[in-house]
Amino acid sequence: MKQICLFSSALAFLTSAVFVQAAQQGATCNSTNLCSSQYPCCSEYGFCGDGYYCLGGCNPLASNTLNSCKPSPMCESANYTLSDTSRILSNYTYFNGNASEYDWVLEQGSIINTTSNGEAAIAVLLTETGGGTLLSSTRYVHYGQITARLKTGRWAGVVTAFITMSSVKDEIDWEFPGNQTTTGQTNYFWQGVIPAQTAGVIETGLTDTFSNWHDFTIDWQPDSMTFLVDGNVTRTITAAQTTNNATGVVQFPNTPSRIQLSIWPAGISTEPSGTVQWAGGMINWNDPDYVSAGHFYSLFQSVSVQCNDPTTPTASDTSYVYGTNSSLDTPSIAFSNASTMTNGAHALIGLIGVSASAMSMWLGVLAALTLGGLVL
């Protein structure tokens, strides 16, 4: 039976992140408080800057101008095998926009190579002092079919997530909270709007998602979203069904989005009580699994992408760009051969007014990948 999920977990993950950069470029930004011309780009975490801030996740509606953000690297149909970390950039601050060099950037946390039942994969890690882990694709998808092959965690308060997230906070989710290893949850949001009752639904009848590999799919088309497990449809939403009855606005995700893979701590004291309850309660840091390994984890083996852009780009087109729309609610999307490269990204500097544990979590972004052969 499908049930309504009342809490937004992926958005809570983003808004709880304290992504404070160097003081001189850390001004907050939103759609009513735009960035200055000196530090023109508003990061996905709501802080102004330049360099890397202008790349993945840069919010054009909160930046100095609609075109302050760099063009977004265009979707390419591909099968990304995650048993090899050579195309994952472990220090996101060094990413310069070259999506031909890296497929993924590690924006937070740590990953390791591993095997599970003899099959190679990467483990995304969660620790008490280091927090969770977030991987983001360097390319954007503007409609298409995305499938992630994964194994979830199994611990109360620990959430595994496979989502798409646009620069203006259009979002489509597969999430797996806590120790609920026979269910998954599907959800979506439009431009970060959290309605009184979210569109979250519990998908039941899965075999153990911790012990077994499953293929979870988001089939995102201009007029519908379909969720699948191992090729079987579990839910379909049409664009028309997302119409806000009060305003008449179709609140359907419709802007180019990055693919994000993560594990994050919902069962901690800084999260809202509803989020903690949704995730199965507080995390038990004395759990034998955690004590033995020194971390909680989720496994990702591959991500496949079949692009389906609404119009056909030319051979020279390499990126998506935002343009002026008749409505300021949603910028228009166009193809471009504009460069996404920057002249160099700034390193992560001052974490201002942050607790020691939070500082440790964000400094973990700068750690090199551990490439050992852990067997789980």
Side-chain angles (χ1 to χ4, degrees):
M1 180 178 66
K2 296 183 177 181
Q3 304 173 27
I4 297 298
C5 170
L6 298 180
F7 303 104
S8 164
S9 51
L11 286 175
F13 178 38
L14 291 174
T15 55
S16 66
V18 185
F19 233 76
V20 183
Q21 305 283 331
Q24 69 271 21
Q25 61 173 342
T28 58
C29 46
N30 53 50
S31 60
T32 59
N33 183 33
L34 305 184
C35 293
S36 68
S37 58
Q38 182 179 11
Y39 296 108
C41 297
C42 186
S43 76
E44 65 180 313
Y45 301 102
F47 295 96
C48 296
D50 57 4
Y52 182 82
Y53 285 64
C54 301
L55 296 173
C58 177
N59 185 346
L61 298 180
S63 295
N64 183 252
T65 66
L66 197 59
N67 58 6
S68 291
C69 300
K70 287 291 184 180
S72 304
M74 188 175 292
C75 182
E76 287 187 357
S77 297
N79 183 44
Y80 302 105
T81 302
L82 296 175
S83 57
D84 181 358
T85 58
S86 63
R87 293 188 60 81
I88 300 174
L89 180 60
S90 61
N91 185 338
Y92 83 99
T93 65
Y94 293 141
F95 182 59
N96 65 3
N98 186 358
S100 297
E101 184 177 8
Y102 294 104
D103 299 322
W104 306 88
V105 291
L106 182 65
E107 297 202 61
Q108 174 191 339
S110 301
I111 66 175
I112 54 176
N113 284 341
T114 186
T115 59
S116 178
N117 298 332
E119 297 187 63
I122 60 168
V124 295
L125 308 184
L126 169 65
T127 65
E128 184 174 12
T129 57
T133 292
L134 172 65
L135 277 173
S136 295
S137 64
T138 57
R139 293 190 181 277
Y140 281 65
V141 179
H142 194 202
Y143 306 117
Q145 187 175 92
I146 310 107
T147 298
R149 186 168 178 80
L150 62 91
K151 289 184 177 181
T152 72
R154 63 176 179 185
W155 306 280
V158 176
V159 179
T160 302
F162 153 50
I163 74 171
T164 63
M165 177 70 75
S166 87
S167 298
V168 297
K169 300 297 185 291
D170 284 340
E171 177 181 349
I172 308 173
D173 303 343
W174 266 111
E175 293 194 282
F176 308 89
N179 54 7
Q180 303 169 41
T181 58
T182 59
T183 65
Q185 298 196 11
T186 58
N187 208 348
Y188 68 91
F189 299 88
W190 175 78
Q191 295 193 19
V193 173
I194 302 177
Q197 182 168 306
T198 79
V201 165
I202 297 175
E203 314 289 354
T204 61
L206 307 181
T207 59
D208 191 330
T209 57
F210 175 80
S211 300
N212 302 311
W213 292 109
H214 289 287
D215 293 324
F216 296 96
T217 298
I218 296 169
D219 189 353
W220 176 36
Q221 304 302 331
D223 58 357
S224 67
M225 290 176 286
T226 300
F227 298 89
L228 303 91
V229 180
D230 299 328
N232 299 311
V233 173
T234 62
R235 183 186 186 194
T236 297
I237 306 108
T238 66
Q241 289 173 324
T242 71
T243 303
N244 184 309
N245 294 330
T247 63
V249 174
V250 178
Q251 297 182 328
F252 183 81
N254 62 1
T255 49
S257 300
R258 292 186 296 170
I259 304 164
Q260 295 188 321
L261 314 174
S262 66
I263 184 171
W264 62 279
I268 55 178
S269 59
T270 54
E271 291 290 345
S273 60
T275 300
V276 174
Q277 181 182 7
W278 166 81
M282 298 292 286
I283 296 174
N284 176 15
W285 301 110
N286 294 315
D287 185 288
D289 289 343
Y290 185 83
V291 173
S292 174
H295 54 251
F296 295 119
Y297 63 91
S298 304
L299 304 182
F300 291 90
Q301 189 175 69
S302 64
V303 176
S304 66
V305 180
Q306 294 295 320
C307 311
N308 185 30
D309 286 294
T311 57
T312 303
T314 67
S316 64
D317 289 326
T318 60
S319 54
Y320 304 107
V321 293
Y322 286 100
T324 303
N325 198 330
S326 58
S327 168
L328 296 180
D329 289 333
T330 302
S332 62
I333 308 300
F335 297 116
S336 171
N337 60 6
S339 171
T340 61
M341 304 288 282
T342 68
N343 292 325
H346 293 289
L348 179 64
I349 311 178
L351 285 163
I352 304 166
V354 183
S355 68
S357 61
M359 182 176 291
S360 174
M361 176 177 71
W362 293 111
L363 289 177
V365 176
L366 302 179
L369 291 178
T370 301
L371 300 179
L374 180 70
V375 177
L376 300 173

